[in-house]
Amino acid sequence: MEFTSADEWSRRISWLQTFNAIGSMLGLAGAGLLRPQLGMLASAFLVVPALIVGGIGLPVPGGRFHMPTLEVERAQLARLVRRVEPLTSSVIAHLHRFHLRDLRALRAAFLTGFSVFLASWFLFSLGVSAFCSLYPVLMLKSFGMAVAKSSLLMSVATALSIPLYNIAGGLATRRGPALVLSTGIAVRMISLAGLGLLGFFRLPFSPVLAVVVLYGAFQGIWPLLSVASNDMSAALAPFSEGTSMGLFNAAAAIASASGAIIGGAMADKFGYPSASLLAAAIIAMALVPVLNLRKGSRSKDGAPDQPPQRDAG
C-alpha cells in the first residue's frame, strides 16, 4: 500500500488475486498428476524460487521501492480492505490480526447489521467446510471419481472463474453487495444439494456430466462471494475496517474447523452424500440473514441494496 499511489491499489490487488487464483489452479492440476510423496516434495521445492524472488526485489519499508505516506485516509483503507479475500481461501488474508482489545467492539457489533452478516458468514463457512474438507474422498466414494480427476476438475473450475472477479466488483457496485452475496450463496446451496441427491440415488445413466456442472458452479461462483463478503464486512461494521476484518476472519476460521468435524461425523454415520446435503442445509440457513439484510437496505430508500456508508474522516 505504501509503495504505489492510491489510484493504483484496486488494479494491483486485482492482479494479485488473479495470480493467486492462477497459482492455485496450477497447483491443483499438478497435484492430480503427481503421486502424494512426489507432490509434497514439489511443493517444498517451489517455495525456494519464491524465497529468492522475495529476497531480490520485493518492496519493503525503507527499501528502494518505498514511498512513505504521511497520512492515509480511512476511505483509502476501506478501499483496500474490501478487496482482500477471506481467510478460508487466500494467502493474503492476514491484513489484520485479531487482538483481545477488539473484544470491546463486540457489544457494538451485535447491535447492528454486521452481527447478522457475521452470523450468516459463520453458517456459510461451516457448510462449505463440511463439504470441502471431504472433497477428494467424497467425490471418489460418491461418484467413483479418482483423486487426479477431482483435482483437475477443481483446477479447471478455478481457472474459468478468474474473469468473474472484475465482473463481481461491477455487480456489487451497481446492484449492491447483498444481492451478489445472496446469489453466490444460493448457487453453492443448489450445487451441494444436487451433488448430495446424485450421490444418494443410483441413476440409470452416468451422472458424471451433472457432477462436473454442479461442482463447477460451486467452485466457479467464489469470486462473487469473495468480493461481496469483504465489501459487506467493511461497510456494515460500526468500527474500523481492520477490526471488522479480524472478526470476519475469526468467524470463518472457527466455522471452518467446526465444519470439518461435523462433515466427517455425518459422512461416517450416513455416508458421504449426506455430508453434501448437510452442507446445503446449513448454507440455506446462511442465506436467510443475507436476504433480510437486502430487504432492509431496499426498504429504507427503495433503491437497489447498497451498504451504509460511513464518514471517511
Side-chain angles (χ1 to χ4, degrees):
M1 184 174 66
E2 294 183 90
F3 309 105
T4 59
S5 58
D7 58 354
E8 296 184 30
W9 290 354
S10 295
R11 179 171 56 85
R12 288 174 177 267
I13 292 172
S14 296
W15 275 111
L16 180 61
Q17 288 185 338
T18 300
F19 274 86
N20 182 42
I22 292 173
S24 299
M25 173 195 67
L26 295 176
L28 289 166
L33 299 174
L34 300 174
R35 291 178 299 174
Q37 297 87 345
L38 186 57
M40 291 292 291
L41 289 174
S43 299
F45 176 77
L46 288 172
V47 175
V48 176
L51 292 172
I52 294 174
V53 172
I56 292 175
L58 283 182
V60 294
R64 58 195 178 98
F65 294 107
H66 190 203
M67 298 170 55
T69 302
L70 296 179
E71 290 187 25
V72 178
E73 296 182 1
R74 184 174 176 179
Q76 293 175 322
L77 290 175
R79 183 180 171 190
L80 173 67
V81 168
R82 293 180 192 181
R83 287 164 175 80
V84 179
E85 294 187 50
L87 179 65
T88 49
S89 68
S90 176
V91 296
I92 60 171
H94 295 284
L95 182 67
H96 173 78
R97 292 185 178 181
F98 185 75
H99 300 286
L100 290 177
R101 62 175 177 270
D102 292 334
L103 293 173
R104 293 196 298 263
L106 287 178
R107 182 178 179 183
F110 288 147
L111 301 176
T112 67
F114 180 72
S115 63
V116 178
F117 164 73
L118 207 61
S120 173
W121 192 252
F122 177 86
L123 289 171
F124 174 77
S125 300
L126 187 72
V128 169
S129 178
F131 170 78
C132 288
S133 60
L134 303 173
Y135 170 70
V137 182
L138 185 149
M139 298 296 274
L140 177 63
K141 298 293 185 180
S142 297
F143 309 110
M145 185 177 290
V147 174
K149 292 182 179 179
S150 61
S151 295
L152 181 61
L153 174 58
M154 183 183 289
S155 174
V156 172
T158 302
L160 294 176
S161 72
I162 291 175
L164 285 180
Y165 280 104
N166 285 331
I167 296 174
L171 286 174
T173 300
R174 293 193 303 271
R175 305 303 301 272
L179 175 62
V180 177
L181 183 61
S182 59
T183 300
I185 292 176
V187 169
R188 285 207 159 179
M189 176 191 69
I190 294 170
S191 299
L192 289 176
L195 289 172
L197 293 174
L198 285 176
F200 267 122
F201 296 105
R202 300 300 176 184
L203 301 176
F205 57 88
S206 176
V208 172
L209 180 58
V211 170
V212 169
V213 171
L214 288 170
Y215 182 77
F218 172 89
Q219 183 67 21
I221 204 66
W222 172 250
L224 271 70
L225 292 161
S226 170
V227 171
S229 62
N230 283 275
D231 200 336
M232 290 188 69
S233 176
L236 289 175
F239 33 67
S240 70
E241 281 77 13
T243 301
S244 71
M245 293 304 296
L247 292 171
F248 175 61
N249 289 336
I254 295 171
S256 296
S258 304
I261 298 172
I262 294 172
M266 191 73 175
D268 184 59
K269 190 170 183 63
F270 300 105
Y272 283 94
S274 67
S276 298
L277 293 177
L278 173 66
I282 296 174
I283 291 176
M285 291 188 290
L287 180 60
V288 175
V290 178
L291 292 176
N292 288 334
L293 284 174
R294 185 175 172 231
K295 284 181 181 178
S297 62
R298 290 180 67 90
S299 63
K300 290 178 182 178
D301 54 14
D305 55 308
Q306 296 289 344
Q309 300 296 320
R310 298 188 304 277
D311 183 11

